[in-house]
Amino acid sequence: MSEKITIVEIKELMEKLLNATKPLAEAHPKVDKKYHYVRVIEGFYRRNYFTFLAIRYLADAPALADSAGVLTRKMTEDVISIEYMLLKGKEDMAKRFQNFFYIQAYQEIEHRKRLEYEIPSKAEITKLMKRVEKLKPLFWHEKSGEFMHSWSGMSAEQMWVELAKKKVFGKHDVHSVLLGYTYGSWKNHPNPADVLTYMTNDLRSTFSASALKQATILGMMDYIRLTTRYIDEIRQIKQKNVYEDINKVVKEVFGYMDDERFALDKKTN
């Protein structure tokens, strides 16, 4: 059986992706105002370019591997949201995502009131409330008597279940996403299994090496999926094969990742 991929090789592939996709992350496609989804995925993509770049920097410091894992979880949640939009109707879902901005603004003001912090002027709040009232039917949760706390009205896990049922992801992707999301959650919340990995220097060294490989490989998987989704959307709108040079590099890196050396499991080290 072939040896597992090394972190040095992984970092080289990450840099290849980052260098190739920088122009895409800096682009601002000129499209008609009727297109909402392209603006949403543009924002998601830019955000994930910098998140992926941060993971690449963390890859130079194995002791910070857990932080890379937390960032990968963040990327996975973005992938889930984008795929959920595509599943449920990208334009309507993108508008819903954009409109949730106003619900969040209202929730933040209410939170600031409770903490007795400064809030916007009466005129600004009145203007915001007009928007909020119009959006209330979309985002009001009857059972709790409160506004929803997520743009979709669902947690990432609930959206993931729907995506899995519709077979949006292949079997291998399902395993990888669940693995990365679960481990990322462990590192993002108080968790006894994760805390135990800090108890000795030997344990920390072993688990850091494993966590770093998982974070970087899954981060690449997330980033590649977002890249292809973004390019597909721009091509569909413009009816042109744009960014073919970037697409070629992405396919090349994805081809490497299909090798069994990239296989992830609990014993990856």
Side-chain angles (χ1 to χ4, degrees):
M1 186 175 179
S2 59
E3 293 181 1
K4 295 290 185 182
I5 193 78
T6 68
I7 194 63
V8 172
E9 293 172 290
I10 293 171
K11 289 193 290 186
E12 288 175 356
L13 291 176
M14 293 177 78
E15 287 176 5
K16 194 179 185 77
L17 275 175
L18 285 163
N19 291 334
T21 58
K22 186 178 180 182
L24 181 61
E26 294 176 343
H28 180 63
K30 293 181 180 180
V31 300
D32 193 283
K33 289 183 178 180
K34 68 179 181 180
Y35 295 108
H36 296 271
Y37 172 72
V38 70
R39 287 294 169 238
V40 170
I41 194 171
E42 175 188 349
F44 270 67
Y45 192 70
R46 288 185 179 185
R47 163 171 137 132
N48 278 273
Y49 174 84
F50 288 107
T51 303
F52 189 53
L53 179 62
I55 293 172
R56 169 60 191 90
Y57 280 126
L58 289 171
D60 287 332
L64 303 179
D66 284 0
S67 295
V70 171
L71 291 178
T72 298
R73 178 181 183 269
K74 172 185 167 185
M75 292 182 73
T76 300
E77 286 200 8
D78 282 0
V79 169
I80 290 171
S81 285
I82 289 297
E83 293 298 335
Y84 191 76
M85 289 181 197
L86 292 172
L87 177 68
K88 294 294 183 178
K90 62 184 181 183
E91 291 301 329
D92 286 343
M93 287 292 103
K95 281 192 283 186
R96 182 184 177 95
F97 178 82
Q98 291 171 323
N99 282 329
F100 192 64
F101 169 87
Y102 302 102
I103 305 301
Q104 284 185 308
Y106 165 76
Q107 290 170 330
E108 181 182 351
I109 289 171
E110 290 301 300
H111 187 54
R112 293 179 74 88
K113 283 181 183 177
R114 288 191 292 270
L115 296 175
E116 298 182 353
Y117 286 174
E118 184 180 352
I119 61 173
S121 68
K122 186 176 180 180
E124 289 175 304
I125 292 177
T126 299
K127 186 178 179 181
L128 172 64
M129 289 311 298
K130 286 181 181 179
R131 286 244 191 196
V132 170
E133 283 302 316
K134 287 182 180 179
L135 295 170
K136 190 172 181 178
L138 270 179
F139 297 108
W140 187 254
H141 189 252
E142 291 290 346
K143 192 173 181 179
S144 66
E146 296 180 345
F147 279 106
M148 298 172 182
H149 293 283
S150 71
W151 72 270
S152 66
M154 305 172 75
S155 66
E157 289 90 343
Q158 289 170 322
M159 285 190 284
W160 170 250
V161 169
E162 278 206 47
L163 292 168
K165 285 180 179 178
K166 296 293 183 180
K167 298 183 178 179
V168 171
F169 294 91
K171 188 175 181 180
H172 176 265
D173 291 332
V174 169
H175 171 78
S176 298
V177 171
L178 283 176
L179 180 70
Y181 191 80
T182 300
Y183 285 177
S185 295
W186 285 5
K187 298 183 184 306
N188 207 38
H189 303 290
N191 182 281
D194 188 59
V195 170
L196 284 172
T197 69
Y198 285 83
M199 299 309 290
T200 70
N201 289 338
D202 287 342
L203 277 174
R204 188 83 294 264
S205 177
T206 298
F207 280 93
S208 290
S210 175
L212 186 59
K213 282 192 179 179
Q214 287 162 0
T216 50
I217 291 174
L218 291 168
M220 278 197 289
M221 291 175 65
D222 286 336
Y223 191 64
I224 286 172
R225 193 163 188 116
L226 288 170
T227 302
T228 56
R229 288 305 195 195
Y230 189 25
I231 291 176
D232 286 347
E233 181 62 18
I234 298 172
R235 285 180 171 183
Q236 185 175 333
I237 292 173
K238 295 189 175 294
Q239 293 293 297
K240 290 180 182 177
N241 261 359
V242 292
Y243 297 115
E244 185 54 35
D245 53 338
I246 295 175
N247 201 42
K248 185 177 179 181
V249 173
V250 169
K251 286 182 176 178
E252 183 183 344
V253 174
F254 185 73
Y256 290 137
M257 296 181 72
D258 201 32
D259 192 288
E260 65 174 10
R261 296 176 69 218
F262 278 88
L264 289 174
D265 54 54
K266 291 183 180 180
K267 295 180 181 178
T268 300
N269 56 52

